[in-house]
Amino acid sequence: APDRAAIVLGGLDGAVRLRDLDRAQERDEWALRCHTARVSAVALSADGALGASGGLDAALCLWDARSGALLE
């Protein structure tokens, strides 16, 4: 994640979530709901600003990794 204190995870429920590494729990900042099926891949840009996820629904979602906002 951008602050390097978290990891981005894709879920079976189609959500992309930010998980805090120190507390081993989900953060409240955001849970992106872009996919209608299981998320199979997530990636972050080198600077940590942009995220991408792909799911079994064949969708590719681009999002702001800091805020979790879906990009159009």
Side-chain angles (χ1 to χ4, degrees):
D3 61 8
R4 298 181 189 245
I7 188 169
V8 179
L9 301 171
L12 296 174
D13 61 354
V16 177
R17 294 182 175 87
L18 197 63
R19 177 135 339 230
D20 191 310
L21 293 175
D22 294 331
R23 295 186 310 228
Q25 62 187 349
E26 213 172 286
R27 289 187 178 185
D28 294 327
E29 279 99 353
W30 57 267
L32 176 67
R33 303 222 179 256
C34 171
H35 300 281
T36 59
R38 180 160 114 189
V39 177
S40 56
V42 293
L44 290 174
S45 62
D47 65 359
L50 180 67
S53 57
L56 296 182
D57 56 359
L60 174 64
C61 300
L62 298 175
W63 31 272
D64 181 307
R66 287 170 174 67
S67 69
L70 191 60
L71 304 176
E72 302 201 26

